[in-house]
Each structure stands twice: as C-alpha cells, then as structure tokens.
Amino acid sequence: MYTMNRRDFIKATALASVAAVAAVGVDPTLARVVQAAGSRAEGGVDEWVKSVCRFCGTGCGVELGITGGKLVALRGDQQHPTTKGLVCAKALFLPKIVYSKDRLTTPQIRNADGVLEDATWDEAMTLVADKFAEAIEEYGPNSVAYYGSGQAFSEESYYANRLFKGGIGTNNVDGNPRLCMASAVGGYVTTYGKDEPMGSYDDIDHAQTFFLVGSNTTECHPVLFNRILERYQTGDRVRIILLDPRKNPIRKIASVHLDPIPGYDLPIFHAMAYVIIDEGLYDPDFVDQHTVFKKVVKKDDGSTEVVDVDFEGYKEFLEEFTPAKAAEISGVPAAKIKQAAKIFAKGPTTSFWTMGLNQRTAGVWANNLVHNLHLLTGNIGKPGATPFSLTGQPNACGGVRDTGSLAHLLPYGRVVAKEAHRQQMEAIWGAEPGRIQPKPGLHTINMFRGLAAGDVKAMLVLCTNPGQSLPNVTPYREAMKSEDSFMVVLDAYPTRTTELADVVLPAAMWSEKEGVYGMSERRYQLLPKLLTPPGEARPDLEILMDFAARLEERGVVPAGYIADKFETPADVWEEMMLASKDTAYDFTGITRDRLREERGIRWPAPNEDHPGTARRYVKGEDPLLDEGPYADDSLAEGDTKFYARPDGRAVIWLRPMKGPAEPTDDEYPYVLSTGRVLEHWHTGTMTMKAPELLRAQPAAFIEINPKDAKELGLRTGDMVRITSRRGEAVIKARVIDTPRKGMVFVPWHWPDMPSLINRVTIDAFDPGSKQPEFKVCAVQLAKV
C-alpha cells in the first residue's frame, strides 16, 4: 500500500500547482514564502486577538496580531477546537490583502459620460434610495432585487433579507451560495427534511472510510484535508474512495479512484447501492426503522407526484444499474465500482463532497444518492459515519442558508410558500400581515435574466462579484452595464462588477467590522472589529441601515418597520436568536457574550448551558430530542430520529439516470470543467493582492490530457482557444495526465478578459436547486 509522510504530502500538495508552473520557467517560491510569513507572525506584535479566517467554509480559527491599531500578522489559533492552529497559505497573507493599495475608500457615481467619479455618502445614498423608490412606485416591489453573498456576515444577510422580504415586500433575494451550495441544500432537505450536515469535523477522527466526491480537498480545504490525512496515518486500515474525473492529489493515497465521464456519475452511486444490497452489506434494521423509499412519477396530464415504493421495488429499480451497466454509462470499470461499494459499506464512513457534485443540472439527485448509501448501510448518526457537504465560502451556511436569504426561503428552515412560516416571520419582524409574498422570488440566473429583460429595474449587490462569477457571464455583464438598469455594488475592492455599477459604495473589510460566520459544521463564530476602515469605507450593515431609513422616508417601506429597530450587529443577533427558537436550528443559547468568550458553538444549542451539538438526530447528543417541539421520550440513548420529516424517517430516493445539459458531440468534442487552485480563491479579488500568491500562480491555465494534446498538436505553454456555444477564452496550455481523456480543466480565478472562463461556461441549472452546471459543458479546442 502507498505510504507517504504527512508533512511531505501536504508540502507536495501545496506545491503541486506551483511545480507545473515551474516547468515553464516560474520560480516555485510558495513554500519559502509560507515559512517566512509564519516566522514573521511570531514577533513585533502588541496583542493577539482571536478571530476567524476570511476564506473558505472550513472556519479556521486564527489569531490576529495588532500593533499600533494595525494588523501586522496572522497565525493559527492553537486553542481552536477544530483547526488547532493550522491555516493555509492564503490566510497568512490576509494582513497584506487588507492593506491593498487599491482598496475602495470613497463612494462613486457613474456620470453622464459613463465614468465613475467620487461622490459624498449623502449624494450616493440619495441616488440609490431614489432609484429604488422610483422603481417600486412605478413597477411594484418585484422590480427590485438583492444579490448577496456567503462572505457577508450573518447579521448583514439577515438584515437585508428582512428589509426586502418583510419591508419592501419582494422575495427577489438571492446570492452567490445559489452558485455553489443550493444542490446540497436540496439534497439535505429532500432526504432529511431540513438543511445542513448532521455530523461534524469530529467524525473525521473516527472514520474508517472516507468517500471524497467531486472535492479536491487538498487544495480547496487544505486544513481539513490535513485532519483527514492525520486519521489516515494514525487509524487502523483507514481507506479513501475518490470519485473525481481528475486525478487530483488525493488519488495518491486512495484505495480506489472512480473517474467517471463528467456528468455521468449517477449510475455509479446506484451501482454501489446494488452491490451493497446484493452482497448483504446493508443494515436491514436501520433501513426498516428509519427510512422510506420514494420516487417521482409523471402523470397523464404531464404533472408529477411523489409516490411511495417498498424495498423490493427499490431492488427492482437498481437492476437497471448493475456495475456492468453503470460501467457502460460512466466509463468506470465495474470491478472498481464493486470495490468501492464494499469499502464504503464496511464503515464507519464519512463522505465529503462539494462543487463537483453540486454544480450540476442533476445536483440534487446526486446529493440524494450519496445520502442513499449512508442510509442503506446505517453509516449515519454514529462516530465517523456522516454525509457531509463542504462549503466553499466562510458564511454560506450560517449567513445565507440558515438566515433564509435565498429567494424561496425564510429564516431557520422556513419557506415562503408556507403560510404559517410567513406569519411567524411577519410577527417576529413586525411586518404587515401578508407583506411577505407566497411565491418564491427570482433565483440567481433568473434574477440576472430579469435584469437583462428589463423586469428588474434596480439591484443591490453586496460582497460578491457576479460580473466574473456567473456562468455564461457575457449577456449578464451587458445587462449590468445597460442604461436601462440600475445597479449599486458594496465592495472593498475594484472588481469586474464594480466596473459595471452605477453606484459603488466602499465597504469595510474583514477585521474592520464585527459579525458572525457560520461554517460547514454548524459552528457559529464571532469576528471582532479590530481595525478602522480606510478612507470613508463603512461596514455593510451600516450601509444597509442607511438604505433602509431612506426607503422608509420615501414611503416604500412602512414607517418604523426596520430603520430604528437596530443600532449594532449585536442588536440584530438578538432577533436572529429569537427567530431560531423552537426550530430545528435553535441557537437561543448562543449569546453574544458566549461568542466573545468561546471559539464558536455548534447549533442546535437551545440554552446557554448547552455546549453545542456534534451530531444531530441522535438521542443523547441532539438536545432537540430532549426538549422542545421535537422532543421524544420514547427513544433510548443513541437512537436516531430524523425529526425534521413528518414521519421521522429519511428518504431513500429512486432517481433516474440524467446526463449533463450539454453533452459533447462532433462539433464540440471536449468537456470543460472549472474549479480552484490552492493559492487563489474565488475571483481573485483578495488573493491576487498578495504578490507571493500571485507569483506562485500568476496566470490561468488549461489542463489537457497528453493524448488529447498530441491529437491537437499542443504542448505545455501553447496558447489554446476554448470555444463553446456561448463564448471563448484564450488560455495557456498545461499538458498533464490529471484530467481524463476528453476532459479539460480551467481554474476560474483570473479576471482578465482573454482568460475569463465564465464567458464559456453554461448557465443551464438544476430544476430543483436552480444551481448552474459549471462542471460540465461542451467545447472546442484550437491552438492559437
């Protein structure tokens, strides 16, 4: 069996991308840079203050070094219960990023010549409020929209959601988590009744098997992967199953690598279930006591309905997905599928997945099928046994999913379609009865299509960069800069979106404002305000409060609804706790004082004495099974009950085969998939401000399988034109045996127009989650 020293593996993983760049003449300096940054963090600091990293959803605890009111260093927080002093390379350069010379410091208004020019706050906010009020008065509340972010603080997202849904009266509230996590939400809700993982990072320390699906954890969640690797090295015969069309670094320690044709992995999950049942590896008692089987059928009138199926019906369904049949569709050998199924069933198994599963037109179904495997084998609700969706942003979970800041949701598991839920939130918010509309608003893609069509007249964009991050971005960029639309953007840096805005409002950066992040394992953590924002920049919540007051003055939000209700983020948090009471998210025990003292608390935590919950749905661990509306005294210690479902049972879904929206053909014979690299994050707005990170990964690249490169006459360093039915990009080739033949891979971080890859991607989306299919589209390749 392959073995490697853990430190060497992490180092090799960190430098994997750099080494490929070094082959074409760039010095791979990242390891030395990280070492130097870490050593500098130990000296010349007046005070160290606990906080949380600004980047991914791992939620790494950090300590910020403050000297003379300035942030001079960052180090990992050794006392943090989950990340234990580790941080990735990106985090170490946050002190440089905060003080980037191109920070936005003054409000700007686009003048008659189309040029952004400096303005006062009053001039900018008057224009913003006037434009929104005019649109609402002339075209109604659904003519305006809010587009938020999984990077905003929870209080900011909650406040904006409250303002738009309960004040203005529109559900046109969405955000960039729609692009990354919506299918995971759909999977959890349709299987268990409510969103969010039931396990925690603690399960890593007990798992015997890790099932890593569509997740390059080494580069996208490196601190978390370090913990997986620790378990791999110290555990007894720990196994890793990797399911990914690319040979990402995890393959080096995987027991089996399943590399399907992109978009054709659903049969693999079904075939694994087939093997588990056929060889008697399932848990019949768990299946009988805790699950039901369902499928969606089409009726004669074209509508659909959900019907119950029994276990025998499920087994009959799986006959269409034997390993041999799955191999024909997916391109993965049947023997590998059988091997993976047997390893998975042995358990305890923890599954981790992210964008490779979610960013698909069958993303919800793919999520369901991973849950199916856990339910069939009883690999759930026990130490080391959990299905766990990882998050790409620091607050997509706590800030958007939990606060209900998407077009179809309301806070803490409520939905706009249910009258009782609307009434509950109208009462908590003090909104007029009936103010919250019963119909979901525009989700991300339809919101920007609405902007293009002229249906959305005014839009507020907060802490995100849709001018670069949307799929098939070109028509949406045209809509954003159109004279027929009005867009205001709150951000800390110039972006591909601020360049299109009518008004740009300079926002405070992480560490210049106070708020809460909720990371992947349901842990809510407080980030303190330590710095003064540069120039005239203001915290986003302060800007939103000013905006709300001006809308009340103009009569488009009822007087007294929101403007005078809150003064600080802590005030907003008090109402958020109240909104969570007696829900599946109950965190009424996570007070502001506790957050200041402790290093985060995992909900549910219904009282101040509760330490937080490592595993939901388990009697003796989940406090909601002991008290409150979900309490059940008939359960014994350790019993499982999926109380968010009416019958207390999770659903095993019979999902049919469904391929990508745009399969390859003779005209467009290659599959494009996009993703990330270790050194950069999202649209590069922050990481490219650190010269060390930019030197490590200075430019976009396209990974091409050597066999495809030979057929195309391409070598590493050649420029390649990537063309789809929507647009093109020109990017430097990296010939490497990482993607499977017929597939190419491009990281999406770089904003320069020749390599802006989202001009090529497709905006088809999952009909349930409305999440776009970034991971699969058909392209042509040609040497430039």
Side-chain angles (χ1 to χ4, degrees):
M1 184 175 66
Y2 177 86
T3 59
M4 178 182 277
N5 176 274
R6 181 165 64 90
R7 177 175 290 177
D8 289 344
F9 185 91
I10 290 293
K11 182 178 177 182
T13 297
L15 291 175
S17 303
V18 184
V21 177
V24 292
V26 178
D27 180 33
T29 58
L30 186 61
R32 295 194 298 274
V33 166
V34 170
Q35 185 179 14
S39 63
R40 285 198 304 271
E42 299 305 317
V45 172
D46 292 343
E47 179 186 18
W48 289 100
V49 183
K50 77 174 179 71
S51 188
V52 183
C53 180
R54 173 62 178 79
F55 290 113
C56 79
T58 301
C60 295
V62 299
E63 290 185 309
L64 304 184
I66 306 298
T67 297
K70 299 289 187 181
L71 176 61
V72 298
L74 178 150
R75 68 186 182 188
D77 183 354
Q78 299 282 350
Q79 298 182 58
H80 195 272
T82 59
T83 56
K84 303 175 183 178
L86 292 177
V87 295
C88 75
K90 294 184 288 292
L92 290 173
F93 295 103
L94 276 165
K96 282 193 173 185
I97 292 167
V98 167
Y99 294 113
S100 174
K101 292 180 180 179
D102 66 347
R103 282 288 302 271
L104 297 173
T105 59
T106 306
Q108 294 178 308
I109 296 174
R110 193 170 300 280
N111 64 23
D113 297 323
V115 177
L116 286 169
E117 60 182 14
D118 291 351
T120 67
W121 270 103
D122 186 61
E123 288 170 340
M125 293 305 298
T126 297
L127 177 61
V128 171
D130 284 347
K131 288 291 187 179
F132 272 77
E134 289 167 10
I136 295 166
E137 289 169 348
E138 185 171 353
Y139 301 101
N142 290 333
S143 66
V144 301
Y146 168 81
Y147 188 68
S149 171
Q151 300 161 56
F153 286 158
S154 297
E155 298 91 335
E156 296 162 358
S157 294
Y158 179 90
Y159 188 95
N161 196 29
R162 189 191 203 276
L163 170 61
F164 275 76
K165 288 178 182 168
I168 295 172
T170 180
N171 292 330
N172 288 344
V173 172
D174 221 64
N176 60 19
R178 181 73 70 180
L179 306 180
C180 59
M181 299 310 302
S183 292
V185 176
Y188 280 118
V189 171
T190 53
T191 296
Y192 307 105
K194 293 294 181 187
D195 185 22
E196 298 290 15
M198 61 283 298
S200 67
Y201 296 161
D202 297 3
D203 289 302
I204 295 173
D205 304 331
H206 304 281
Q208 286 296 113
T209 299
F210 292 99
F211 188 27
L212 304 179
V213 185
S215 170
N216 181 7
T217 325
T218 48
E219 292 193 74
C220 299
H221 297 89
V223 171
L224 193 60
F225 186 74
N226 184 78
R227 190 163 173 178
I228 294 172
L229 197 57
E230 275 191 326
R231 175 61 182 163
Y232 172 79
Q233 289 205 311
T234 60
D236 180 24
R237 296 175 60 83
V238 173
R239 304 290 187 89
I240 295 176
I241 306 165
L242 173 64
L243 197 160
D244 196 313
R246 295 176 69 231
K247 298 182 183 73
N248 73 45
I250 300 168
R251 178 175 176 266
K252 295 179 180 179
I253 58 170
S255 299
V256 57
H257 176 208
L258 311 174
D259 58 337
I261 301 166
Y264 292 90
D265 53 2
L266 267 62
I268 295 175
F269 301 120
H270 281 316
M272 289 175 66
Y274 175 92
V275 172
I276 287 167
I277 293 175
D278 188 57
E279 301 202 11
L281 303 176
Y282 70 102
D283 185 334
D285 291 337
F286 189 91
V287 170
D288 181 60
Q289 296 171 21
H290 300 296
T291 71
V292 292
F293 298 85
K294 293 182 182 290
K295 68 177 181 179
V296 178
V297 297
K298 185 171 288 189
K299 298 162 66 175
D300 292 340
D301 62 2
S303 62
T304 60
E305 66 175 338
V306 176
V307 299
D308 291 328
V309 181
D310 60 16
F311 184 61
E312 292 303 316
Y314 179 58
K315 288 171 60 178
E316 182 180 346
F317 167 80
L318 292 178
E319 291 293 336
E320 295 300 314
F321 299 98
T322 64
K325 292 178 180 177
E328 292 178 6
I329 300 170
S330 69
V332 176
K336 283 191 172 184
I337 297 174
K338 291 179 182 178
Q339 181 186 6
K342 293 175 183 179
I343 295 172
F344 184 100
K346 186 177 180 180
T349 299
T350 290
S351 295
F352 286 119
W353 67 93
T354 182
M355 306 311 149
L357 208 63
N358 296 334
Q359 290 178 333
R360 306 263 298 284
T361 50
V364 173
W365 292 5
N367 274 260
N368 289 149
L369 301 192
V370 174
H371 295 307
N372 283 2
L373 296 175
H374 281 269
L375 294 169
L376 279 173
T377 57
N379 267 304
I380 195 165
K382 297 178 289 190
T386 194
F388 199 126
S389 166
L390 296 175
T391 316
Q393 296 187 91
N395 204 25
C397 290
V400 175
R401 292 160 66 173
D402 296 357
T403 65
S405 299
L406 293 173
H408 63 297
L409 296 177
L410 290 169
Y412 308 111
R414 302 175 177 93
V415 294
V416 300
K418 289 191 176 182
E419 183 178 8
H421 290 179
R422 297 194 304 274
Q423 291 175 344
Q424 289 168 15
M425 290 315 304
E426 286 167 352
I428 292 169
W429 285 346
E432 298 173 349
R435 190 73 170 183
I436 301 174
Q437 295 188 30
K439 182 181 177 181
L442 298 172
H443 60 81
T444 293
I445 295 300
N446 279 354
M447 183 179 288
F448 284 93
R449 286 177 179 173
L451 192 69
D455 298 326
V456 175
K457 305 295 183 181
M459 180 184 292
L460 189 151
V461 176
L462 186 146
C463 198
T464 186
N465 186 11
Q468 183 178 342
S469 63
L470 290 174
N472 185 24
V473 72
T474 300
Y476 305 127
R477 286 182 57 84
E478 293 297 320
M480 287 182 233
K481 70 179 182 181
S482 170
E483 293 182 359
D484 297 327
S485 64
F486 178 83
M487 184 173 71
V488 54
V489 178
L490 284 64
D491 213 317
Y493 302 94
T495 68
R496 281 295 187 192
T497 306
T498 61
E499 70 182 4
L500 306 173
D502 297 286
V503 175
V504 177
L505 301 176
M509 176 56 170
W510 160 96
S511 71
E512 297 167 354
K513 57 182 182 176
E514 178 185 298
V516 172
Y517 274 168
M519 40 83 114
S520 295
E521 67 163 357
R522 295 173 283 102
R523 183 181 297 274
Y524 287 171
Q525 306 182 95
L526 182 68
L527 291 81
K529 180 183 183 299
L530 302 172
L531 310 175
T532 301
E536 298 178 43
R538 295 179 177 178
D540 299 77
L541 183 60
E542 184 178 321
I543 300 170
L544 289 170
M545 288 178 173
D546 186 354
F547 179 50
R550 292 170 187 266
L551 292 183
E552 284 193 13
E553 290 172 2
R554 286 157 177 77
V556 293
V557 170
Y561 167 69
I562 190 170
D564 296 328
K565 294 290 181 67
F566 312 100
E567 293 183 2
T568 68
D571 295 338
V572 180
W573 186 255
E574 288 295 319
E575 185 176 283
M576 293 166 68
M577 288 195 299
L578 174 64
S580 79
K581 185 174 176 56
D582 291 333
T583 73
Y585 298 69
D586 196 328
F587 61 90
T588 48
I590 306 181
T591 64
R592 209 70 172 186
D593 288 341
R594 286 190 70 185
L595 288 171
R596 294 189 196 284
E597 293 297 320
E598 300 180 41
R599 284 166 166 79
I601 302 122
R602 293 178 292 210
W603 61 263
N607 58 69
E608 292 186 43
D609 296 326
H610 195 275
T613 302
R615 289 177 196 88
R616 300 163 75 195
Y617 307 131
V618 179
K619 183 72 170 179
E621 296 195 56
D622 187 334
L624 302 189
L625 284 169
D626 296 322
E627 58 179 301
Y630 301 110
D632 190 338
D633 295 334
S634 69
L635 298 176
E637 190 90 358
D639 282 355
T640 298
K641 182 179 181 180
F642 300 108
Y643 52 75
R645 293 257 316 142
D647 56 5
R649 293 169 175 262
V651 180
I652 294 176
W653 285 97
L654 286 65
R655 299 298 197 188
M657 171 56 201
K658 181 179 180 181
E662 188 177 63
T664 57
D665 54 26
D666 291 341
E667 186 178 3
Y668 296 90
Y670 299 96
V671 175
L672 166 67
S673 189
T674 60
R676 304 183 186 187
V677 296
L678 174 76
E679 298 85 355
H680 292 303
W681 193 77
H682 278 215
T683 57
T685 306
M686 292 183 288
T687 52
M688 292 185 189
K689 302 296 188 290
E692 298 87 347
L693 295 173
L694 191 56
R695 282 198 298 269
Q697 282 287 14
F701 58 88
I702 175 172
E703 290 182 350
I704 305 175
N705 185 280
K707 295 178 181 178
D708 293 325
K710 184 177 181 180
E711 293 173 1
L712 293 162
L714 291 169
R715 295 182 179 181
T716 292
D718 289 343
M719 299 305 294
V720 181
R721 178 173 285 109
I722 311 156
T723 306
S724 72
R725 292 176 172 87
R726 292 155 296 283
E728 67 175 43
V730 178
I731 298 176
K732 187 174 290 187
R734 181 178 292 183
V735 179
I736 187 169
D737 187 28
T738 300
R740 62 175 293 143
K741 188 180 186 308
M743 173 192 180
V744 295
F745 171 81
V746 177
W748 67 285
H749 310 290
W750 284 269
D752 56 292
M753 277 302 171
S755 58
L756 206 164
I757 195 61
N758 275 329
R759 295 186 298 163
V760 179
T761 51
I762 191 169
D763 53 359
F765 53 81
D766 183 301
S769 69
K770 311 301 189 291
Q771 181 165 354
E773 191 158 54
F774 286 95
K775 293 304 178 192
V776 187
C777 74
V779 297
Q780 302 169 348
L781 303 176
K783 183 177 180 180
V784 177

